[in-house]
Amino acid sequence: MPVTRKFSVEDLWSLRTLGQVAVSPDGRRVAFEMHYAEREADTLRSALYLLCLDEQGQSEGEPRQLTRSAKSESFPAWAPDSRRLLFLSDREGEQNQLWLIDTDGGEARKLTTMLHGVNEATWSPDGRWIAFTASAELEDEDDLLVGLKSLSESERKKRDEERRYRLRVINDPDYRSDGRGYYDTQAHLFVMPAPGENGAVDPAQIRRLTRGRYEHAQPAWTPDSQEIGVLSNRREDRFMGIWVRDLWAIDPASGEERCLTEGKLAIESFSWSPDGQMAMVVADQDERIARSLARLYLVTRWGNVGDRTLLLTPDLDLATSAWVGGHFGMPGPYKPQWSHDGQAIYFIASERGQAHIYRLEVVWRTLKKLTSESITYYLHLLPGERGLLVAQEQAQHPCEFYHLPLESEGKPERLTRLYDDLMRDLAWPRVEKFSYEGAAGEEIDGWLVYPIRAKEGVRYPLLVQIHGGPHWGYGDGRSPYDAYLAARGYAVFYCNPHGSTGHGEAFLRSVLGDWGGKDFEDIMRGVDACIERGVADPERLVVTGYSYGGYMTMYTIGHTERFKAAVPRAGISNLASFVGTSDIGPWMTYESKGFPWDEERAAYYYERSPLNAAARVTTPTRFIHPENDLRCPIEQSEQFYMALKLMGKVPVDLVRVPGAWHGGTPKPSQSIAMREHMLAWFERYIQIRPEEYEG
């Protein structure tokens, strides 16, 4: 039996995760991103890899690295010839530009010099055009935007200074977002002729197709190459915190724009039918109507407005998307796949910590489940319907590429060995998934991670992790971070309480107007179950969570004294001030079923805000918060920290993370340091006893 070693901080540095995937039109080549940290430079990078398949969809060897620049490459997109590949890179400057590489060999060539860079691109099926989205300010000149004109160094510096220090007049509730900042630019749609063999594109031939204060995303050509589908919110109230996205069809020749949906859906993704007459969209409803699961809708390309959208999965009480957390990346983009005759759809649905592939017969609405015991993030139907190329995570193995045969209805066949070394060389903890009775008598899914080299009959420190959302969910997959905690001597518990995904729409909605109710009870019952199993030491319990998980950590310490230490990370302490300071403040009013100033909801906002239970806190608490967090602003931790500090009853401190936002950190070392600060705090108040472990 091979000798394994425990996870260490160095192993966290060496982790690689999967990103965007693109399958060539002939189904023989798979380009994909691998993300990694470069420790010496303390930065995140990504590179493109190429996996070759034979005619049956089987691997023709190990993937090879396709790009090797000193910067990053991302968002691969194939030419119709299945040989040339578009991608984005910042290898020349700070902005991502569009590049082209011949995957048979040769150097990459730069295609664009857009002022603010390029966001995403797609090649027309007839091979003649490339459509892409790129950011633009309202006052940008087109010639400057596309690279026909350029700014001198002094002109650029002056422009940047003016924009940095200008006064801002704000008139909209939704005027900034986490990780992006102010809405100074919007993503617009452009089109240009496809490059010839020399790879050159004249900037004068780049045409701008959209204007105004509108965002545009996911450009996709219709199969006849006559129109470009794109997602956009052009409602008059779009800056009122209304997260609707419609499907538009834009004619690149005439500039005609047609909205194909009715402004009531928040579309996540879409895919055109083989004949181009319809699109399948994954969408949930406008949150003002109802908090809903993502479902499949059929949208016709032509016809009368109001008659174009048809719900196809009304009886499937599952989100038709992978709403499950991933630990080795979340490969995408996810788009439902049409059968070649247009009669069936292959899609993903989330269910109790897993994400399965289903086949839906469009006319008869019959469903067939094709996978089990796994989490699928990405799928692509191969030519001739010889199978699906999928990116899938197993309970005992990280995300890999698989071939799922369709004719024989066989099991997925693994094509890659991206993480075999990691699984072989490191000690992975035992993970037990179990169900227990939660609030209202409903079944809750929980996971218990055992410490490395745990002894039978010994109780261990239990670290309770609470996920964000609340409308999200933990999954069955392996977590390197849990393996690191287990290597440090912790048992780890996490669960999907009320409000999580994977249990249906009623379960998802059950926490609306009830944060800190059934969800809190579910988590506490899960902790009880870990103690009853003889694994958790009730005298060595610690708790943490991020975002909504940070909220719940704060709420927990004001409503129980059972935890010896707590570390809320990027959490929420004051529901009312969150409405006014978060980039998604209006969303909280939907979650809370009203405004803080509504007489009938004022008591809820007060009672369910952790800050207002500060006087009852007896748990030593360390707050960790990104300084540039616009989602859960740092003032949320500052308020609770100051309350506990001024009361002087319990040990408390605040760790501020410079430059970091809610969704990430500018330096990977900061992400690792945040975890180390958490563990250092816990280990002030509980003991890890070496004699309790084997070896």
Side-chain angles (χ1 to χ4, degrees):
M1 185 174 181
V3 176
T4 59
R5 57 181 175 79
K6 293 182 180 180
F7 253 91
S8 67
V9 170
E10 286 67 32
D11 295 311
L12 297 181
W13 272 101
S14 65
L15 291 175
R16 299 175 301 153
T17 58
L18 277 166
Q20 295 287 298
V21 183
V23 180
S24 61
D26 66 3
R28 300 292 298 274
R29 303 184 188 196
V30 183
F32 61 94
E33 301 169 0
M34 288 295 285
H35 297 260
Y36 59 95
E38 195 172 276
R39 189 166 188 175
E40 185 175 344
D42 196 10
T43 191
L44 293 173
R45 301 283 190 220
S46 61
L48 297 182
Y49 284 71
L50 189 66
L51 171 67
C52 293
L53 307 178
D54 63 20
E55 291 184 353
Q56 285 70 48
Q58 298 300 314
S59 172
E60 290 187 331
E62 294 300 312
R64 65 178 175 89
Q65 189 168 343
L66 186 63
T67 61
R68 296 181 180 274
S69 77
K71 292 290 190 74
S72 291
E73 290 82 31
S74 59
F75 287 93
W78 287 98
D81 62 16
S82 295
R83 178 174 57 85
R84 291 174 294 165
L85 184 74
L86 296 170
F87 64 92
L88 303 184
S89 180
D90 60 350
R91 57 176 66 183
E92 286 186 5
E94 297 180 358
Q95 306 285 356
N96 272 331
Q97 298 294 344
L98 193 58
W99 292 70
L100 177 68
I101 191 170
D102 188 327
T103 57
D104 282 343
E107 294 297 318
R109 292 167 290 183
K110 187 178 177 181
L111 300 184
T112 63
T113 54
M114 299 294 292
L115 179 64
H116 304 289
V118 176
N119 300 334
E120 51 191 336
T122 179
W123 209 307
S124 65
D126 64 9
R128 298 176 58 204
W129 304 97
I130 293 172
F132 63 91
T133 58
S135 296
E137 293 189 15
L138 286 175
E139 61 270 26
D140 282 338
E141 298 177 32
D142 283 358
D143 285 355
L144 185 63
L145 190 60
V146 302
L148 269 176
K149 289 172 55 178
S150 61
L151 297 175
S152 67
E153 186 61 32
S154 61
E155 289 173 328
R156 181 179 292 275
K157 185 176 181 180
K158 181 181 178 181
R159 175 190 170 101
D160 291 345
E161 287 284 301
E162 289 174 349
R163 278 156 176 71
R164 183 177 181 184
Y165 294 111
R166 66 185 174 186
L167 303 187
R168 298 176 185 275
V169 179
I170 305 300
N171 287 302
D172 304 307
D174 184 13
Y175 62 94
R176 57 184 182 162
S177 65
D178 186 68
R180 172 179 172 182
Y182 297 104
Y183 296 155
D184 292 333
T185 63
Q186 284 78 41
H188 282 283
L189 186 63
F190 297 78
V191 68
M192 67 182 187
E197 287 302 316
N198 65 354
V201 174
D202 182 354
Q205 295 182 299
I206 297 176
R207 290 187 291 116
R208 182 173 177 173
L209 298 180
T210 60
R211 298 181 184 274
R213 291 183 68 199
Y214 309 119
E215 295 288 340
H216 302 83
Q218 298 184 33
W221 290 90
T222 53
D224 59 10
S225 298
Q226 296 303 300
E227 291 186 301
I228 305 164
V230 70
L231 300 182
S232 184
N233 181 359
R234 299 194 180 185
R235 290 172 55 121
E236 290 295 323
D237 58 1
R238 63 189 176 280
F239 294 112
M240 295 298 293
I242 309 303
W243 295 284
V244 164
R245 288 205 300 186
D246 282 305
L247 175 59
W248 289 73
I250 298 177
D251 185 331
S254 67
E256 180 189 1
E257 303 173 336
R258 298 183 300 113
C259 186
L260 306 187
T261 49
E262 294 85 48
K264 299 177 182 179
L265 298 175
I267 299 177
E268 175 184 332
S269 66
F270 71 98
S271 56
W272 293 110
S273 61
D275 62 7
Q277 299 305 301
M278 298 175 288
M280 188 64 63
V281 307
V282 179
D284 52 317
Q285 294 184 57
D286 178 348
E287 287 193 87
R288 295 172 304 169
I289 301 172
R291 190 69 178 89
S292 67
L293 296 170
R295 301 188 187 277
L296 291 183
Y297 294 83
L298 188 66
V299 177
T300 58
R301 185 174 164 192
W302 309 99
N304 298 321
V305 175
D307 297 333
R308 290 190 180 130
T309 306
L310 176 66
L311 174 60
L312 285 186
T313 55
D315 300 323
L316 181 64
D317 197 21
L318 299 172
T320 56
S321 185
W323 283 8
V324 183
H327 303 295
F328 289 86
M330 295 185 66
Y334 163 54
K335 295 176 178 290
Q337 298 293 293
W338 289 84
S339 64
H340 295 158
D341 61 6
Q343 298 301 303
I345 289 286
Y346 298 92
F347 67 95
I348 296 170
S350 302
E351 182 176 10
R352 302 190 67 165
Q354 300 174 355
H356 303 304
I357 300 174
Y358 283 78
R359 176 186 168 100
L360 170 69
E361 299 294 335
V362 176
V363 175
W364 301 106
R365 314 286 176 85
T366 55
L367 281 170
K368 185 175 183 179
K369 187 175 176 181
L370 302 182
T371 58
S372 62
E373 306 298 325
S374 59
I375 304 172
T376 299
Y377 296 108
Y378 173 86
L379 75 168
H380 183 91
L381 185 63
L382 297 173
E385 298 195 33
R386 59 180 183 264
L388 288 165
L389 184 283
V390 303
Q392 192 176 89
E393 192 170 339
Q394 307 285 344
Q396 302 300 322
H397 196 88
C399 201
E400 302 272 7
F401 288 106
Y402 292 80
H403 174 258
L404 177 64
L406 296 176
E407 291 184 2
S408 61
E409 298 185 6
K411 294 183 178 181
E413 304 158 343
R414 186 140 68 103
L415 303 176
T416 55
R417 300 288 184 271
L418 301 175
Y419 297 104
D420 280 10
D421 291 350
L422 191 70
M423 298 303 296
R424 182 192 64 235
D425 297 340
L426 296 172
W428 290 85
R430 170 188 170 194
V431 180
E432 179 185 354
K433 183 179 182 180
F434 64 97
S435 298
Y436 61 94
E437 185 177 300
E442 294 188 87
E443 195 173 72
I444 304 298
D445 292 326
W447 290 262
L448 178 58
V449 182
Y450 287 72
I452 297 295
R453 298 172 187 167
K455 293 180 181 178
E456 191 70 30
V458 177
R459 292 184 179 272
Y460 293 99
L462 182 71
L463 190 154
V464 178
Q465 293 190 136
I466 306 171
H467 70 62
H471 310 302
W472 191 243
Y474 283 117
D476 284 349
R478 286 288 193 179
S479 164
Y481 305 106
D482 290 345
Y484 177 58
L485 294 174
R488 292 279 294 252
Y490 292 91
V492 182
F493 168 71
Y494 48 93
C495 68
N496 286 336
H498 278 82
S500 302
T501 54
H503 281 262
E505 198 159 83
F507 192 87
L508 185 84
R509 293 176 177 174
S510 63
V511 296
L512 299 182
D514 191 34
W515 281 29
K518 290 185 285 294
D519 45 2
F520 173 67
E521 183 179 343
D522 291 340
I523 296 165
M524 293 305 104
R525 287 190 178 202
V527 175
D528 294 339
C530 294
I531 294 171
E532 291 167 5
R533 290 173 123 73
V535 177
D537 183 346
E539 299 302 317
R540 290 186 288 172
L541 304 178
V542 295
V543 61
T544 187
Y546 197 91
S547 192
Y548 161 82
Y551 161 85
M552 188 53 66
T553 304
M554 296 183 193
Y555 187 88
T556 294
I557 60 177
H559 292 80
T560 179
E561 298 180 355
R562 72 193 304 185
F563 292 96
K564 300 303 179 186
V567 179
R569 294 174 289 136
I572 303 169
S573 69
N574 187 332
L575 299 181
S577 68
F578 181 92
V579 172
T581 59
S582 171
D583 66 338
I584 58 167
W587 169 84
M588 181 58 76
T589 68
Y590 310 144
E591 288 289 311
S592 301
K593 292 187 172 181
F595 295 95
W597 49 86
D598 291 341
E599 185 175 350
E600 64 274 16
R601 299 309 295 164
Y604 169 83
Y605 273 92
Y606 183 87
E607 293 165 2
R608 301 302 174 92
S609 291
L611 178 65
N612 296 315
R616 298 200 295 267
V617 174
T618 61
T619 306
T621 303
R622 165 170 281 178
F623 298 92
I624 299 178
H625 215 116
E627 287 191 339
N628 292 353
D629 193 336
L630 297 181
R631 184 62 37 86
C632 300
I634 196 171
E635 58 88 15
Q636 292 289 318
S637 287
E638 289 173 332
Q639 289 188 60
F640 209 163
Y641 161 73
M642 286 298 291
L644 295 180
K645 181 61 74 173
L646 294 177
M647 288 178 186
K649 295 180 180 179
V650 296
V652 60
D653 68 14
L654 168 63
V655 178
R656 304 172 67 98
V657 189
W661 60 101
H662 195 71
T665 60
K667 301 291 185 182
S669 61
Q670 293 175 301
S671 179
I672 291 175
M674 288 167 70
R675 296 179 186 276
E676 292 302 292
H677 274 284
M678 176 186 75
L679 295 178
W681 186 260
F682 289 155
E683 288 164 22
R684 285 190 194 180
Y685 301 100
I686 63 167
Q687 289 184 332
I688 305 292
R689 303 167 186 152
E691 68 273 12
E692 294 179 340
Y693 305 86
E694 298 283 2

